[in-house]
């Protein structure tokens, strides 16, 4: 209770400093959210996974400022009327209004479609969203572009978009990770599907990147059930989102260094993970298991075996990248991701009847 009250005073303080304005709270029914969002506190919604999105249709205001804080160096894309604006740098741990209309003065008689999307991955830090600061006369209209289809992508650094904007040679930096340009996001836009992504760099199915043993603790399946993956008891309510299709691209980290896990341990771990996801979805979604483009056999053969066992469709992405498709540390850049999308998208489309 103390924290909520303190936070409220803080936001009110921020607002008074700025303008006489209105704060549209995160609970407004016309705000459309995508991705896992913790809505347990009415004054601040919390999220961390890559690609989480907040979308609004807004009129009656000359400016709009989402009020956000962050526990790390996060970045967002800002898309207004389908045009990309400069990215938002959200790194302050105290709530700040981010004026996203600094380079564009809004006409209050016009209606604007505004999308904020989290570029950076969960390991970078979590975000609290306190609402939109707008003029007194502002109004949100029901968000019009809610897709009928839905798809979930589960993976590691590739699915996060690690280094996809980097020019090699380069190491990881938050600013060169843009989830919006990954194969998952490209496919969801192309197939007009609602998108949830859960991904974490370095995580494997039974063994994380460069772990000393053939298995390790804290692999991806440990984090998957969580709304905020750094909060070990903050469990996601799977009834909130039942995707039509689930795409998993894991295994690269298990096999990218010695000692690799034995076939039975990897396959059994992967099968248990898929069965766990199946147990959470009552709508019987179609599963796709992808392998590549940063790993080959034996990993991909094992993933294909798992796909057969769990009745999933296997998507092969081995060896598809050429020298013009790399960003940082051997990861696909935007052109590599569009190649991945061009392989996976038709397979998903055909099998889903989309
Ligand atoms: C984002 O802001 C942080 C903190 O002010 C700063 O260190 C960082 O360089 C900024 N990033 C970019 C890309 O400007
Ligand atoms: C946001 O920036 C625009 C352009 O500089 C300015 O007109 C507007 O007053 C700003 N809004 C707030 C709330 O500061
Ligand atoms: C290595 O992994 C195997 C298989 O999971 C486990 O039985 C063993 O205890 C692990 N060894 C160490 C040193 O953690
Ligand atoms: C893994 O977790 C188990 C149970 O919590 C613990 O006993 C073991 O020491 C951990 N192993 C490593 C390598 O951290
Ligand atoms: C991808 O990376 C290559 C090599 O670094 C570069 O030449 C190319 O322009 C990049 N493509 C895109 C779309 O970023």
């Amino acid at each position: 209770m103390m924290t909520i009250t303190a936070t409220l005073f803080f936001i009110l303080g921020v607002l008074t400093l700025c303008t006489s304005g209105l704060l549209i709270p995160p609970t407004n029914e016309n705000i459309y959210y995508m991705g896992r969002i913790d809505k347990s506190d009415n004054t601040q919604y919390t999220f961390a996974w890559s690609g989480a999105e907040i979308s609004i249709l807004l009129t009656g205001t000359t400016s709009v400022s989402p009020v956000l804080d962050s526990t790390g160096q996060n970045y967002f894309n800002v898309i207004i009327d389908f045009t990309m604006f400069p990215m938002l740098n959200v790194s302050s741990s105290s709530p700040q209004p981010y004026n996203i209309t600094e380079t564009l003065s809004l006409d209050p008689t016009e209606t604007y479609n505004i999308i904020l999307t989290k570029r950076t991955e969960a390991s970078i830090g979590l975000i609290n969203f306190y609402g939109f600061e707008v003029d007194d006369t502002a109004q949100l209209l029901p968000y019009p572009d809610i897709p009928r289809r839905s798809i979930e992508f589960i993976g590691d650094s590739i699915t996060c978009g690690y280094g996809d904007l980097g020019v090699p040679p380069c190491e990881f930096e938050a600013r060169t990770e843009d989830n919006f340009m990954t194969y998952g996001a490209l496919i969801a836009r192309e197939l007009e599907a609602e998108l949830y992504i859960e991904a974490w760099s370095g995580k494997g199915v039974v063994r994380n990147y460069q772990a000393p043993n053939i298995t390790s603790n804290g692999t991806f399946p440990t984090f998957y059930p969580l709304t905020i993956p750094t909060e070990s008891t903050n469990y996601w309510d799977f009834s909130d989102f039942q995707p039509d299709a689930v795409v998993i691209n894991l295994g690269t980290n298990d096999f990218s260094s010695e000692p690799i896990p034995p076939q039975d341990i990897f396959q059994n771990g992967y099968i248990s993970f898929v069965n766990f996801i199946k147990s959470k979805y009552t709508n019987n979604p179609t599963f796709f298991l992808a392998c590549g483009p940063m790993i080959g056999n034996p990993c991909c053969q094992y993933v294909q075996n798992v796909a057969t066992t769990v009745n999933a469709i296997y998507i092969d992405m081995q060896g598809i990248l050429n020298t013009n498709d790399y960003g940082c540390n051997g990861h696909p850049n935007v052109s590599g991701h569009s190649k991945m999308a061009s392989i996976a998208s038709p397979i998903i489309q055909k099998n889903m009847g989309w």
Side-chain angles (χ1 to χ4, degrees):
M1 222 35 206
M2 275 305 285
T3 6
I4 295 171
T5 317
T7 309
L8 268 178
F9 275 118
F10 194 88
I11 300 170
L12 291 175
V14 168
L15 286 182
T16 338
L17 279 181
C18 283
T19 59
S20 66
L22 184 72
L23 182 73
I24 298 172
T27 47
N28 186 294
E29 63 184 16
N30 287 333
I31 302 177
Y32 172 59
Y33 294 96
M34 240 169 45
R36 293 185 183 175
I37 313 278
D38 181 342
K39 298 180 177 173
S40 57
D41 181 340
N42 280 344
T43 63
Q44 54 183 86
Y45 281 7
T46 306
F47 53 92
W49 291 111
S50 306
E53 270 186 29
I54 305 173
S55 304
I56 53 172
L57 192 63
L58 176 70
T59 188
T61 188
T62 54
S63 77
V64 54
S65 308
V67 182
L68 303 162
D69 68 32
S70 170
T71 62
Q73 178 57 78
N74 277 297
Y75 292 98
F76 283 79
N77 283 337
V78 176
I79 302 154
I80 303 178
D81 286 347
F82 308 103
T83 301
M84 190 79 84
F85 281 78
M87 71 175 174
L88 268 194
N89 179 347
V90 183
S91 44
S92 170
S93 60
S94 58
Q96 313 271 331
Y98 290 85
N99 187 348
I100 58 173
T101 42
E102 227 146 30
T103 58
L104 164 92
S105 74
L106 300 185
D107 175 349
T109 66
E110 296 286 329
T111 298
Y112 297 92
N113 183 333
I114 298 174
I115 301 170
L116 299 178
T117 171
K118 189 172 188 275
R119 294 160 58 111
T120 34
E121 66 182 272
S123 62
I124 302 282
L126 58 84
I127 292 285
N128 292 306
F129 168 59
Y130 300 84
F132 289 104
E133 197 185 295
V134 285
D135 296 352
D136 292 331
T137 46
Q139 228 192 317
L140 287 190
L141 305 173
Y143 195 69
D145 301 323
I146 300 173
R148 285 178 297 116
R149 304 162 176 160
S150 54
I151 190 164
E152 178 177 27
F153 284 85
I154 295 166
D156 48 33
S157 54
I158 303 171
T159 305
C160 289
Y162 177 122
D164 62 350
L165 301 186
V167 177
C170 49
E171 296 298 317
F172 179 83
E173 278 186 282
R175 72 180 75 191
T176 61
E177 179 172 72
D178 185 1
N179 185 267
F180 192 74
M181 299 311 292
T182 60
Y183 72 103
L186 295 171
I187 291 169
R189 288 200 288 283
E190 187 193 330
L191 301 182
E192 297 176 5
E194 185 173 36
L195 172 68
Y196 276 52
I197 294 180
E198 298 87 35
W200 190 301
S201 291
K203 298 291 180 196
V205 179
V206 300
R207 175 173 180 255
N208 292 332
Y209 182 60
Q210 287 188 334
N213 198 1
I214 53 172
T215 61
S216 58
N217 285 342
T219 55
F220 193 81
T222 310
F223 297 92
Y224 177 72
L226 302 169
T227 309
I228 308 293
T230 48
E231 297 177 355
S232 62
T233 56
N234 191 343
Y235 288 103
W236 173 243
D237 180 354
F238 283 88
S239 66
D240 279 2
F241 176 68
Q242 300 264 307
D244 302 320
V246 178
V247 183
I248 309 174
N249 186 356
L250 286 169
T252 304
N253 289 302
D254 301 72
F255 289 92
S256 56
S257 65
E258 296 289 334
I260 62 170
Q263 178 173 9
D264 59 334
I265 290 183
F266 177 75
Q267 290 187 180
N268 291 338
Y270 205 146
I271 291 166
S272 313
F273 182 47
V274 174
N275 286 337
F276 173 80
I277 304 170
K278 285 187 173 182
S279 76
K280 296 293 178 186
Y281 292 139
T282 54
N283 65 328
N284 193 24
T286 305
F287 280 76
F288 298 86
L289 307 190
C291 191
M294 293 175 67
I295 198 78
N297 285 329
C299 179
C300 292
Q301 182 56 57
Y302 299 165
V303 172
Q304 200 169 352
N305 297 343
V306 172
T308 306
T309 306
V310 300
N311 195 23
I313 293 124
Y314 174 69
I315 301 176
D316 193 69
M317 298 194 191
Q318 291 177 75
I320 62 168
L321 303 183
N322 65 35
T323 49
N324 289 328
D325 299 323
Y326 289 100
C328 300
N329 270 334
H331 288 75
N333 71 358
V334 173
S335 93
H337 276 282
S338 57
K339 252 185 204 172
M340 293 175 70
S342 72
I343 288 171
S345 192
I347 297 173
I348 296 166
Q349 184 169 31
K350 176 167 162 279
N351 284 280
M352 298 307 296
W354 288 349

